């Protein structure tokens, strides 16, 4: 079972990230998400939310509607302009808990400049839908489980991030799961802790 590097903290695993749909794929916004973490706020499914969701193709594609305010720091005019032309497209947001949301920017962005107008600080509001199976965080393709009886279970646990990650520095090569080898005590403890964290997140609604 692939190990998680114990030098990585949870904060380094789950970093806030924002992506936009450029018509071909989701591209990460070249900006730093700043200010303290505030989880998206649940919102009732009102007619307004349904209208916003419809425009982004989000109806019946998630578990709940949320609203959030994000502040982005762009380090150059080009990075800001690259994102601005797609501000009306669908966005994807990873919060610090590892939860995935998709949604759209709502309202007018609050734009401020810094350092002789070379940097842009942009605060945006977002209408979001929380995803459960929209995209898996871990997509490792193990090459030694193709014909193994436990492949389905290994894939499911891997997709939840419980038994493996996709970092190159994450213990042994992630190309091999070694399904018929015995787990070490360290691997067993790691599995239990990941399971505990996963269940804890479910209990807290993340």
């Amino acid at each position: 079972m692939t190990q998680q590097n114990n030098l990585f903290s949870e904060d380094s695993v789950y970093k806030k990230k924002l992506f936009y749909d450029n018509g071909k794929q989701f591209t990460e916004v070249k900006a730093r998400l700043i200010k303290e973490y505030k989880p998206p706020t649940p919102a009732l499914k009102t007619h307004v939310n349904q209208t916003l969701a419809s425009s982004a193709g989000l109806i019946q594609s998630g578990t709940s509607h949320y609203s959030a305010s994000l502040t982005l720091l762009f380090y150059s005019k080009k990075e800001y302009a690259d994102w601005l032309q797609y501000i009306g497209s669908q966005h994807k947001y990873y919060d610090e808990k590892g939860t995935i949301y998709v949604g759209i920017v709502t309202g007018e962005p609050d734009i401020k400049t810094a350092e002789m107008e070379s940097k842009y600080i942009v605060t945006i509001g977002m209408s979001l839908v929380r995803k459960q199976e929209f995209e898996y965080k871990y997509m490792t393709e193990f090459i030694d489980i193709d014909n193994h009886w436990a492949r389905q279970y290994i894939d499911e646990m891997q997709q939840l991030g419980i038994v493996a990650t996709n970092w190159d520095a994450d213990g042994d090569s992630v190309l091999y799961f070694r399904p018929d080898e015995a787990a070490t005590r360290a691997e067993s403890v790691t599995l239990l802790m990941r399971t505990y964290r996963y269940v804890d997140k479910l209990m807290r609604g993340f």
Side-chain angles (χ1 to χ4, degrees):
M1 183 175 70
T2 306
Q3 291 289 318
Q4 175 171 309
N5 190 325
N6 59 11
L7 298 179
F8 285 97
S9 67
E10 191 173 73
D11 288 338
S12 68
V13 176
Y14 300 126
K15 292 184 178 180
K16 292 183 294 185
K17 293 183 178 181
L18 183 66
F19 297 79
Y20 63 88
D21 185 0
N22 65 5
K24 296 181 179 179
Q25 62 185 6
F26 278 101
T27 302
E28 186 171 1
V29 178
K30 301 300 182 182
R32 179 183 175 188
L33 276 70
I34 59 177
K35 295 195 175 181
E36 69 278 4
Y37 170 73
K38 292 182 180 179
T41 305
L44 295 176
K45 287 191 174 182
T46 64
H47 293 298
V48 174
N49 284 330
Q50 290 176 3
T51 301
L52 292 172
S54 177
S55 66
L58 302 179
I59 285 184
Q60 297 180 346
S61 61
T63 57
S64 303
H65 282 77
Y66 291 80
S67 60
S69 177
L70 305 179
T71 301
L72 302 92
L73 172 61
F74 292 90
Y75 290 94
S76 72
K77 293 181 179 180
K78 182 181 184 306
E79 292 174 347
Y80 173 59
D82 288 344
W83 168 73
L84 189 61
Q85 64 180 324
Y86 294 103
I87 192 173
S89 66
Q90 186 177 120
H91 284 60
K92 181 169 58 177
Y93 172 54
Y94 292 77
D95 76 356
E96 287 180 349
K97 301 293 185 180
T99 307
I100 303 172
Y101 301 83
V102 293
I104 56 174
V105 175
T106 57
E108 294 293 329
D110 179 26
I111 306 170
K112 298 179 181 178
T113 59
E115 295 188 12
M116 303 295 290
E117 299 187 354
S118 63
K119 296 181 181 179
Y120 292 81
I121 301 174
V122 182
T123 301
I124 57 174
M126 298 199 72
S127 178
L128 303 165
V129 172
R130 190 176 75 176
K131 308 305 295 182
Q132 286 188 331
E133 297 182 354
F134 174 77
E135 179 176 317
Y136 295 117
K137 187 173 182 65
Y138 305 101
M139 295 294 290
T140 302
E141 294 289 341
F142 298 114
I143 63 177
D144 59 348
I145 64 171
D146 286 346
N147 300 315
H148 199 276
W149 64 267
R151 176 178 179 177
Q152 177 182 351
Y153 305 112
I154 295 171
D155 284 341
E156 290 177 359
M157 295 290 280
Q158 181 263 142
Q159 289 163 353
L160 294 174
I162 292 178
V163 300
T165 69
N166 55 3
W167 292 326
D168 292 336
D170 197 25
D172 293 339
S173 173
V174 296
L175 294 177
Y176 297 92
F177 182 77
R178 297 178 283 122
D180 295 315
E181 293 188 18
T184 65
R185 294 177 66 189
E187 289 173 333
S188 299
V189 169
T190 301
L191 174 64
L192 290 173
M193 280 305 302
R194 288 177 180 170
T195 304
Y196 166 77
R197 289 180 179 178
Y198 177 72
V199 173
D200 182 57
K201 285 173 61 178
L202 292 180
M203 295 294 290
R204 290 186 288 113
F206 294 107

